[in-house]
Amino acid sequence: MDVDATNLHYSNIEAIAVPKFELYGERALLPDVLHCETIADRSSLHGWAIQPHRHERLHQFLHVAEGTAYVKLEDRETTLHGPGVVNVPAGAVHGFRFSPETRGTVVTVPVEALDATIGACPMLATPAVVACEPQLAELFAAVADEFAATRPARTQCLSAMATLIAARVAGGIAPEIGGGDGSPLLRRFEALIEAHYRSHWRVADYAAALKVSTTHLSRVCRAETGAGASRVIELRLMKEARRLLAYSAHPVGRIAVDLGFVDPAYFTRAFTRSAGMTPSAFRARVAEGPAQSHHR
């Protein structure tokens, strides 16, 4: 696998409203334990490009066997020269452009089916591009074969192979983010933040829900991330702010309200303190694209 930074510019990015694609019956139970298709099945119908979007309840593993993929994961853009695998957690903004005739496989799994694996391998919550060892490539081929077949115990086989793929991908992500499983308390804290960051819970609120002291919570956060608990909360809130500024055309005031700020001016001050520029300046910088920003 060869992964490089790219100057690929997704045009009109400021007008995109972060679509939430509902694939294969995402609102209800999936018709199958997972879905498997080739990269060409979908992308070739759209000029080999998939615009930035996200899925609420689906986790995807994208195996690029041959060809080149220009990958956008959240606010990062990379170029993947196959073979390689892209890990796309539920909720992560992602988009692709492929060189024509790129070969590969997309395995889509409902998050409920991966709960146990994600609990044991929290690094799967990190959008990432990882190397694809031959054994992992064989697993993708095996899933494709089993998905198309009607053999006995098909569901159990597919579930087992999806778990194996998830575990192998997690193993590839761990060295990149410097971790093993991390602190269980930090994982529980991060899960609570996902549920309540728009409500602007204080550190004391989270500590009470986790049944620990604020001092202990901040100590664990600092040991694991280098930042205190309040900073971890702020980073998650500002991450969502950057998403909405980059992928929606809503006014800054509307975004402030969506993120739970009563006063848009306070949101502007908080964002500026975190990002080093105002929300409007950030949105303008994203619209320029990496190539223009690099030469500023």
Side-chain angles (χ1 to χ4, degrees):
M1 176 188 69
D2 185 8
V3 179
D4 302 304
T6 180
N7 285 331
L8 175 69
H9 177 44
Y10 283 79
S11 62
N12 297 325
I13 199 168
E14 74 279 11
I16 298 173
V18 200
K20 297 177 181 178
F21 287 6
E22 294 171 358
L23 305 178
Y24 329 118
E26 185 174 358
R27 279 193 177 276
L29 295 175
L30 268 71
D32 214 334
V33 65
L34 57 77
H35 185 83
C36 181
E37 64 182 2
T38 68
I39 289 174
D41 284 340
R42 192 167 303 271
S43 61
S44 63
L45 302 176
H46 303 283
W48 294 91
I50 304 296
Q51 291 300 313
H53 63 284
R54 58 182 170 181
H55 309 292
E56 290 275 327
R57 296 172 52 209
L58 300 176
H59 194 117
Q60 291 188 308
F61 302 101
L62 187 141
H63 172 221
V64 179
E66 293 180 5
T68 300
Y70 303 98
V71 183
K72 184 169 187 67
L73 292 173
E74 297 291 357
D75 56 356
R76 295 181 295 112
E77 297 175 357
T78 56
T79 302
L80 165 60
H81 303 289
V85 175
V86 184
N87 178 61
V88 185
V93 177
H94 57 288
F96 305 98
R97 281 183 55 195
F98 301 100
S99 60
E101 310 307 323
T102 294
R103 289 200 315 107
T105 306
V106 183
V107 173
T108 303
V109 190
V111 291
E112 293 83 359
L114 287 178
D115 273 349
T117 308
I118 293 173
C121 305
M123 61 285 293
L124 284 170
T126 302
V129 179
V130 301
C132 184
E133 302 298 332
Q135 298 90 337
L136 183 52
E138 290 170 5
L139 280 171
F140 278 97
V143 167
D145 176 69
E146 192 68 32
F147 184 77
T150 55
R151 304 184 185 100
R154 174 179 175 277
T155 295
Q156 290 78 7
C157 288
L158 286 173
S159 295
M161 286 186 283
T163 299
L164 277 172
I165 286 175
R168 297 300 185 203
V169 171
I173 296 172
E176 296 186 12
I177 62 175
D181 292 346
S183 163
L185 176 60
L186 180 61
R187 302 284 85 81
R188 289 162 51 212
F189 179 43
E190 290 172 335
L192 274 179
I193 291 173
E194 286 300 314
H196 300 290
Y197 69 88
R198 280 184 166 89
S199 300
H200 292 240
W201 274 23
R202 301 166 301 164
V203 174
D205 298 321
Y206 287 104
L210 293 166
K211 295 181 171 54
V212 298
S213 69
T214 56
T215 301
H216 180 63
L217 179 59
S218 282
R219 184 184 302 120
V220 169
C221 288
R222 200 171 297 281
E224 292 281 329
T225 71
S230 60
R231 178 61 174 158
V232 173
I233 297 167
E234 180 189 23
L235 287 172
R236 179 61 187 92
L237 187 62
M238 291 301 110
K239 177 181 178 181
E240 194 66 18
R242 292 194 303 273
R243 278 179 174 173
L244 295 175
L245 288 165
Y247 295 106
S248 81
H250 294 312
V252 171
R254 164 74 182 279
I255 290 173
V257 171
D258 181 71
L259 293 176
F261 288 88
V262 176
D263 181 3
Y266 180 68
F267 166 69
T268 294
R269 291 195 296 271
F271 185 89
T272 302
R273 182 175 63 249
S274 176
M277 65 182 76
T278 66
S280 297
F282 175 83
R283 174 172 272 170
R285 179 69 64 87
V286 171
E288 285 181 352
Q292 291 90 333
S293 297
H294 178 73
H295 290 100
R296 173 173 283 198

